[in-house]
Amino acid sequence: MSSSCILPLAATLCGLFPAAAAAPATQASFPEPSTLPSQSALPDPLVMFDGRPVASRSQWVKERRPELQALFQHYMYGAIPPKPAHAVARNLGEYDDFLGGKATLKLVRLGMGPPPAPQIDLMLVMPNEHTGPAPIFLAMDFCGNHALTADARVPLARSWMASSCKGCTNNAATDAARGSQAADWPLAEIVRRGYALAAFYSGDVDPDRKEVSEGVYAWLAGGDPARNNPTNRGTIAAWAWGFHRCVDYLVTEPGVDAHRIAALGHSRNGKTALLAAAFDERIAIAFPHQAGCGGSSPSRGKTGESVKAINGQFPHWFNAQFKQFNDAPERLPFDQNCLVALCAPRPVLFSAAEGDQWANPSGQFQVLQAADPVYRFLGKEGLAAKEKPPQGQLVDSPLGYYVREGKHSMTTNDWNVFMNFADRQWRK
């Protein structure tokens, strides 16, 4: 596979990152979206772009999987930047008295290079009462790590923050924000069950602003606006890059089981967790919770959010090519079942809520059904359920599904489902 750089920032990327670490190259031969054939059904991941069937595991690994990664980057997400050459982790503090002595709180700052390179603040919560390295959930949060706990030792987020975050003044975090989302992150229960948590704020990688790009892409562009289009920059791909950089650190952390790292996110963060897992095999399980369009529901779906709607409201999440499918998503040469297939044979759990029809829970189940053949092709059980299960019933096969009553949210009960699924997959 070619190691040439991609993105409109090609020259900058090649200058900042070693070629050996570069992302898969986009194929120059991919046609214009308007010329792609229309297909109403979800495309078969086991059929090559040129129509050849995938006949062996070797062909899947060496040809089809890289091809799908290139297709997703070219037509939808944009390129995920490669690993920086000069990343440095700095320990900001480590405290073994967290949660009444039940856990160790470790605070790490991941520097991606000299300023103005992004710096990601990673908060780790690791159980004290379990022997050996702990399995870990790596999650991206909406409003900063400080919102997950009232503990004042956790630094306030330093980057731009949406005014919808509690305790945010003039798009900056304040002490009033501490612990404002703690109810959604049951740290004590996570630790009690033997899991660790690592969390980072999306804004440290790329603030969620459609009109301004001031994160990783601005850095890669060297401040040149001609090479950094805010509207089409592909923020979800940037956030996935943030997941990967956190994994770089976690696999070196003695308190973490490097073979049991799960990527987790809610809503747009869930879209990112799934993309991150599809492009990084060090991630052992993906938990895209209520991820919806552009994540766990089909782009061809007729229920809830459409490609046109998501591109209209959040144009910065995807690249310019994806906008060309606004009125013809059936021309996409893939769908989200193909993204799940890129995770095979690793487990993936889709969790949903019946009151969240905007995220298309039934369509999410169909995506899993259409990814199932790849798991079975690779000799792994895929989706055990033949029909969408009733509310409250966890399908805990490697392709898992869970739907509950309620709305678009992440709750303590959802976390219990996540841990039940991880227990099953990791045989805890």
Side-chain angles (χ1 to χ4, degrees):
M1 189 183 305
S2 170
S3 62
S4 62
C5 293
I6 47 183
L7 281 175
L9 308 178
T12 305
L13 279 168
C14 289
L16 288 174
F17 299 108
T26 299
Q27 296 186 18
S29 60
F30 289 157
E32 287 298 311
S34 61
T35 68
L36 292 168
S38 177
Q39 45 184 327
S40 58
L42 300 183
D44 187 346
L46 293 172
V47 175
M48 298 288 296
F49 188 63
D50 63 7
R52 290 176 295 133
V54 177
S56 66
R57 174 187 284 266
S58 176
Q59 187 182 10
W60 169 260
V61 172
K62 295 179 180 179
E63 295 184 53
R64 181 55 170 162
R65 194 170 184 277
E67 179 180 74
L68 280 172
Q69 289 180 326
L71 284 166
F72 272 109
Q73 290 180 102
H74 180 76
Y75 286 121
M76 185 173 182
Y77 294 106
I80 299 177
K83 181 179 179 178
H86 305 293
V88 176
R90 182 160 63 96
N91 192 341
L92 301 182
E94 188 167 348
Y95 315 97
D96 63 6
D97 61 349
F98 192 59
L99 300 177
K102 300 289 186 182
T104 292
L105 171 68
K106 188 169 184 178
L107 306 168
V108 180
R109 183 161 293 166
L110 306 178
M112 298 299 121
Q119 294 186 332
I120 301 173
D121 281 356
L122 186 65
M123 180 183 84
L124 287 86
V125 179
M126 297 177 288
N128 288 338
E129 298 183 0
H130 294 266
T131 58
I136 191 165
F137 290 97
L138 170 61
M140 189 169 72
D141 54 65
F142 288 107
C143 295
N145 300 336
H146 61 270
L148 279 56
T149 173
D151 195 308
R153 293 175 295 193
V154 177
L156 293 175
R158 297 165 288 106
S159 46
W160 181 95
M161 186 166 291
S163 57
S164 57
C165 291
K166 293 181 180 178
C168 173
T169 302
N170 297 324
N171 299 113
T174 70
D175 282 318
R178 294 192 179 278
S180 57
Q181 295 185 334
D184 301 332
W185 299 80
L187 302 181
E189 180 63 9
I190 293 170
V191 165
R192 187 192 70 78
R193 293 189 55 169
Y195 289 96
L197 173 74
F200 70 103
Y201 172 47
S202 59
D204 284 353
V205 178
D206 195 32
D208 194 8
R209 308 175 69 184
K210 63 184 178 182
E211 73 283 359
V212 176
S213 175
E214 57 188 6
V216 60
Y217 293 132
W219 168 53
L220 293 176
D224 182 357
R227 293 192 310 218
N228 180 27
N229 183 324
T231 299
N232 298 318
R233 67 188 189 267
T235 293
I236 289 176
W239 291 336
W241 176 83
F243 267 92
H244 297 165
R245 305 292 67 84
C246 292
V247 172
D248 292 342
Y249 172 79
L250 292 177
V251 297
T252 71
E253 169 56 54
V256 169
D257 185 339
H259 301 291
R260 294 191 290 176
I261 299 173
L264 183 146
H266 172 227
S267 193
R268 65 198 65 180
N269 296 354
K271 304 179 203 298
T272 306
L274 181 58
L275 179 63
F279 279 74
D280 192 334
E281 295 182 75
R282 298 174 300 174
I283 295 172
I285 304 181
F287 289 89
H289 178 57
Q290 299 177 342
C293 185
S296 53
S297 68
S299 295
R300 288 164 169 79
K302 304 302 181 184
T303 299
E305 190 171 34
S306 65
V307 170
K308 186 173 185 176
I310 199 170
N311 277 331
Q313 189 171 3
F314 307 106
H316 57 301
W317 288 358
F318 304 97
N319 67 3
Q321 289 277 345
F322 196 48
K323 277 78 170 175
Q324 297 188 52
F325 297 95
N326 280 354
D327 297 313
E330 65 278 1
R331 290 190 183 276
L332 282 164
F334 52 76
D335 213 308
Q336 297 312 99
N337 61 309
C338 297
L339 193 67
V340 176
L342 288 174
C343 298
R346 292 166 291 148
V348 176
L349 175 66
F350 279 11
S351 43
E354 283 299 355
D356 183 22
Q357 288 299 310
W358 191 242
N360 192 2
S362 294
Q364 291 170 341
F365 187 77
Q366 293 165 3
V367 164
L368 293 177
Q369 289 178 307
D372 172 86
V374 176
Y375 280 71
R376 299 188 186 276
F377 180 79
L378 296 175
K380 182 83 169 181
E381 182 188 15
L383 179 65
K386 302 301 183 185
E387 298 179 350
K388 181 184 169 186
Q391 291 182 26
Q393 179 178 310
L394 172 64
V395 177
D396 61 3
S397 50
L399 285 179
Y401 184 83
Y402 178 80
V403 63
R404 59 164 169 80
E405 63 178 1
K407 302 292 186 180
H408 194 69
S409 61
M410 186 171 71
T411 68
T412 295
N413 287 337
D414 291 327
W415 273 99
N416 284 322
V417 171
F418 305 153
M419 290 185 281
N420 290 343
F421 185 80
D423 283 351
R424 166 72 171 172
Q425 300 305 319
W426 286 332
R427 302 294 191 269
K428 284 193 69 203

PDB file of all heavy atoms in Angstrom, residues 230-241:
ATOM      1  N   PRO A 230     -12.653  25.349   6.761  1.00  0.00           N
ATOM      2  CA  PRO A 230     -13.375  24.959   7.966  1.00  0.00           C
ATOM      3  C   PRO A 230     -14.596  24.077   7.689  1.00  0.00           C
ATOM      4  O   PRO A 230     -14.843  23.110   8.404  1.00  0.00           O
ATOM      5  CB  PRO A 230     -13.790  26.303   8.588  1.00  0.00           C
ATOM      6  CG  PRO A 230     -12.815  27.283   8.047  1.00  0.00           C
ATOM      7  CD  PRO A 230     -12.500  26.817   6.660  1.00  0.00           C
ATOM      8  N   THR A 231     -15.327  24.384   6.632  1.00  0.00           N
ATOM      9  CA  THR A 231     -16.589  23.700   6.384  1.00  0.00           C
ATOM     10  C   THR A 231     -16.397  22.241   5.979  1.00  0.00           C
ATOM     11  O   THR A 231     -17.210  21.398   6.325  1.00  0.00           O
ATOM     12  CB  THR A 231     -17.382  24.441   5.294  1.00  0.00           C
ATOM     13  OG1 THR A 231     -17.649  25.767   5.749  1.00  0.00           O
ATOM     14  CG2 THR A 231     -18.695  23.750   5.005  1.00  0.00           C
ATOM     15  N   ASN A 232     -15.339  21.939   5.268  1.00  0.00           N
ATOM     16  CA  ASN A 232     -15.158  20.593   4.729  1.00  0.00           C
ATOM     17  C   ASN A 232     -13.972  19.864   5.355  1.00  0.00           C
ATOM     18  O   ASN A 232     -13.435  18.929   4.761  1.00  0.00           O
ATOM     19  CB  ASN A 232     -14.951  20.661   3.213  1.00  0.00           C
ATOM     20  CG  ASN A 232     -16.149  21.252   2.493  1.00  0.00           C
ATOM     21  OD1 ASN A 232     -17.286  20.939   2.816  1.00  0.00           O
ATOM     22  ND2 ASN A 232     -15.894  22.118   1.526  1.00  0.00           N
ATOM     23  N   ARG A 233     -13.567  20.231   6.549  1.00  0.00           N
ATOM     24  CA  ARG A 233     -12.282  19.745   7.043  1.00  0.00           C
ATOM     25  C   ARG A 233     -12.304  18.304   7.534  1.00  0.00           C
ATOM     26  O   ARG A 233     -11.261  17.664   7.632  1.00  0.00           O
ATOM     27  CB  ARG A 233     -11.759  20.675   8.141  1.00  0.00           C
ATOM     28  CG  ARG A 233     -12.560  20.707   9.433  1.00  0.00           C
ATOM     29  CD  ARG A 233     -12.011  21.824  10.318  1.00  0.00           C
ATOM     30  NE  ARG A 233     -12.534  21.863  11.671  1.00  0.00           N
ATOM     31  CZ  ARG A 233     -13.581  22.582  12.041  1.00  0.00           C
ATOM     32  NH1 ARG A 233     -14.237  23.304  11.129  1.00  0.00           N
ATOM     33  NH2 ARG A 233     -13.988  22.596  13.304  1.00  0.00           N
ATOM     34  N   GLY A 234     -13.459  17.748   7.877  1.00  0.00           N
ATOM     35  CA  GLY A 234     -13.514  16.371   8.345  1.00  0.00           C
ATOM     36  C   GLY A 234     -13.187  16.235   9.821  1.00  0.00           C
ATOM     37  O   GLY A 234     -12.273  15.518  10.217  1.00  0.00           O
ATOM     38  N   THR A 235     -13.978  16.907  10.662  1.00  0.00           N
ATOM     39  CA  THR A 235     -13.698  16.928  12.091  1.00  0.00           C
ATOM     40  C   THR A 235     -13.811  15.549  12.729  1.00  0.00           C
ATOM     41  O   THR A 235     -13.067  15.227  13.653  1.00  0.00           O
ATOM     42  CB  THR A 235     -14.630  17.934  12.788  1.00  0.00           C
ATOM     43  OG1 THR A 235     -14.292  19.252  12.338  1.00  0.00           O
ATOM     44  CG2 THR A 235     -14.491  17.889  14.295  1.00  0.00           C
ATOM     45  N   ILE A 236     -14.729  14.711  12.258  1.00  0.00           N
ATOM     46  CA  ILE A 236     -14.845  13.368  12.840  1.00  0.00           C
ATOM     47  C   ILE A 236     -13.560  12.579  12.611  1.00  0.00           C
ATOM     48  O   ILE A 236     -13.101  11.844  13.499  1.00  0.00           O
ATOM     49  CB  ILE A 236     -16.082  12.652  12.281  1.00  0.00           C
ATOM     50  CG1 ILE A 236     -17.357  13.297  12.846  1.00  0.00           C
ATOM     51  CG2 ILE A 236     -16.065  11.159  12.626  1.00  0.00           C
ATOM     52  CD1 ILE A 236     -18.641  12.741  12.282  1.00  0.00           C
ATOM     53  N   ALA A 237     -12.948  12.738  11.447  1.00  0.00           N
ATOM     54  CA  ALA A 237     -11.664  12.079  11.192  1.00  0.00           C
ATOM     55  C   ALA A 237     -10.587  12.622  12.125  1.00  0.00           C
ATOM     56  O   ALA A 237      -9.723  11.875  12.607  1.00  0.00           O
ATOM     57  CB  ALA A 237     -11.250  12.274   9.739  1.00  0.00           C
ATOM     58  N   ALA A 238     -10.618  13.924  12.392  1.00  0.00           N
ATOM     59  CA  ALA A 238      -9.654  14.510  13.326  1.00  0.00           C
ATOM     60  C   ALA A 238      -9.844  13.940  14.720  1.00  0.00           C
ATOM     61  O   ALA A 238      -8.870  13.598  15.416  1.00  0.00           O
ATOM     62  CB  ALA A 238      -9.814  16.029  13.355  1.00  0.00           C
ATOM     63  N   TRP A 239     -11.094  13.823  15.157  1.00  0.00           N
ATOM     64  CA  TRP A 239     -11.349  13.253  16.484  1.00  0.00           C
ATOM     65  C   TRP A 239     -10.903  11.794  16.561  1.00  0.00           C
ATOM     66  O   TRP A 239     -10.394  11.353  17.595  1.00  0.00           O
ATOM     67  CB  TRP A 239     -12.831  13.374  16.813  1.00  0.00           C
ATOM     68  CG  TRP A 239     -13.301  14.782  17.050  1.00  0.00           C
ATOM     69  CD1 TRP A 239     -12.557  15.856  17.437  1.00  0.00           C
ATOM     70  CD2 TRP A 239     -14.647  15.265  16.930  1.00  0.00           C
ATOM     71  NE1 TRP A 239     -13.346  16.988  17.555  1.00  0.00           N
ATOM     72  CE2 TRP A 239     -14.637  16.649  17.256  1.00  0.00           C
ATOM     73  CE3 TRP A 239     -15.862  14.674  16.573  1.00  0.00           C
ATOM     74  CZ2 TRP A 239     -15.792  17.431  17.247  1.00  0.00           C
ATOM     75  CZ3 TRP A 239     -17.017  15.448  16.556  1.00  0.00           C
ATOM     76  CH2 TRP A 239     -16.982  16.817  16.890  1.00  0.00           C
ATOM     77  N   ALA A 240     -11.102  11.040  15.469  1.00  0.00           N
ATOM     78  CA  ALA A 240     -10.628   9.655  15.445  1.00  0.00           C
ATOM     79  C   ALA A 240      -9.108   9.613  15.602  1.00  0.00           C
ATOM     80  O   ALA A 240      -8.555   8.745  16.290  1.00  0.00           O
ATOM     81  CB  ALA A 240     -11.052   8.971  14.151  1.00  0.00           C
ATOM     82  N   TRP A 241      -8.434  10.569  14.963  1.00  0.00           N
ATOM     83  CA  TRP A 241      -6.987  10.715  15.146  1.00  0.00           C
ATOM     84  C   TRP A 241      -6.663  10.937  16.624  1.00  0.00           C
ATOM     85  O   TRP A 241      -5.685  10.386  17.143  1.00  0.00           O
ATOM     86  CB  TRP A 241      -6.499  11.879  14.293  1.00  0.00           C
ATOM     87  CG  TRP A 241      -5.064  12.254  14.417  1.00  0.00           C
ATOM     88  CD1 TRP A 241      -4.002  11.681  13.776  1.00  0.00           C
ATOM     89  CD2 TRP A 241      -4.517  13.321  15.211  1.00  0.00           C
ATOM     90  NE1 TRP A 241      -2.829  12.316  14.117  1.00  0.00           N
ATOM     91  CE2 TRP A 241      -3.115  13.321  14.991  1.00  0.00           C
ATOM     92  CE3 TRP A 241      -5.073  14.263  16.077  1.00  0.00           C
ATOM     93  CZ2 TRP A 241      -2.269  14.235  15.621  1.00  0.00           C
ATOM     94  CZ3 TRP A 241      -4.238  15.181  16.696  1.00  0.00           C
ATOM     95  CH2 TRP A 241      -2.854  15.170  16.464  1.00  0.00           C
TER      96      TRP A 241
END
